[in-house]
Amino acid sequence: MSAVTSVPCPDVAEMYCTHRRWLHTWLQRHLADTGTAADLTQDTFIRVLTTRSMQAPRESRALLTHIAKGLLIDYWRRRDIEQAYLQAVAHLAEHEAPSPETRLMLIEALVAVDNMLSTLKPLTRQMFLMAQLEGMTLAEIAVRTGKPAITVRRHIRRALLACMSTQQ
C-alpha cells in the first residue's frame, strides 16, 4: 500500500513552491546561517498553514516577510536569553551545571517569562521587577516611583495575574 500525501491547501502549496527559495535566501541574509534560515522558512509556511484562511493572499511575499520578521525577532530574543543564561551558569563546575534537559526547560521558562513581561505596560513591568528581583516592598517601590502604594499594589497584581495566566 502506498502512502498518499495530500496538501491541505493548494494555494499554500503553490505559494511554497513559488516563494520558498526566495524566502530562504531572504532569511539567510538576515541570519548568515543556512540551517536556521531553512528552519525559519519552514516555520513561516507552517504559520501560514495554521493561521490563514484557505485563500492565498494577493501579496504572498509581503505576508511571508511579515511572518518571517516576527519569527526572526522571536529567534533573536530566544538566542539572547539563552546566551545570558549560559553566561550566568558559566562559572559553575561541570558537576554543578544543569543537565541539557534541565537547561532546555529553564530556557523555555525564561522565554515564557520574557514573553509575559513584554506584554506588560512599562511601569507595571518595572514595579514587578523591583519587587521580584530587588526584593523591594510596596512602600519602597512607591517611594522610588513616586506613586501611591495602592497604585503599586495594583500594578504588581496585574503582573502576577499575567504570570498566572501564562501557566495555564
Side-chain angles (χ1 to χ4, degrees):
M1 183 181 235
S2 65
V4 176
T5 58
S6 63
V7 178
C9 177
D11 292 335
V12 175
E14 181 181 333
M15 184 190 306
Y16 181 84
C17 292
T18 304
H19 301 294
R20 183 198 56 78
R21 183 171 286 138
W22 166 82
L23 182 60
H24 181 264
T25 302
W26 185 87
L27 284 163
Q28 194 170 351
R29 274 184 301 193
H30 288 82
L31 291 166
D33 177 6
T34 302
T36 304
D39 289 344
L40 291 181
T41 299
Q42 297 307 319
D43 290 348
T44 300
F45 282 100
I46 289 170
R47 187 79 50 97
V48 169
L49 277 171
T50 58
T51 60
R52 299 298 297 176
S53 66
M54 289 302 161
Q55 294 181 349
R58 295 177 196 256
E59 297 295 329
S60 297
R61 285 192 178 184
L63 172 66
L64 294 172
T65 303
H66 177 74
I67 293 170
K69 282 179 181 178
L71 292 172
L72 268 173
I73 290 167
D74 291 346
Y75 169 77
W76 288 327
R77 178 180 259 165
R78 180 187 170 81
R79 185 192 62 194
D80 291 347
I81 290 169
E82 187 169 359
Q83 288 174 350
Y85 169 79
L86 292 174
Q87 288 175 352
V89 298
H91 71 281
L92 296 176
E94 189 174 331
H95 68 278
E96 294 176 328
S99 69
E101 295 84 9
T102 302
R103 185 177 79 192
L104 179 63
M105 289 186 332
L106 288 170
I107 291 170
E108 292 294 327
L110 289 170
V111 168
V113 168
D114 181 64
N115 288 337
M116 182 279 302
L117 289 173
S118 70
T119 66
L120 299 176
K121 293 181 179 177
L123 184 59
T124 303
R125 179 174 48 247
Q126 177 189 14
M127 290 178 179
F128 178 73
L129 292 175
M130 285 178 189
Q132 297 300 313
L133 299 180
E134 298 178 37
M136 295 175 71
T137 65
L138 294 177
E140 292 169 332
I141 296 170
V143 168
R144 187 182 289 177
T145 60
K147 302 289 182 186
I150 190 70
T151 301
V152 173
R153 181 184 305 247
R154 286 183 190 128
H155 282 280
I156 291 177
R157 181 178 180 276
R158 281 187 208 118
L160 289 171
L161 288 172
C163 287
M164 291 172 28
S165 70
T166 59
Q167 293 179 349
Q168 296 173 356

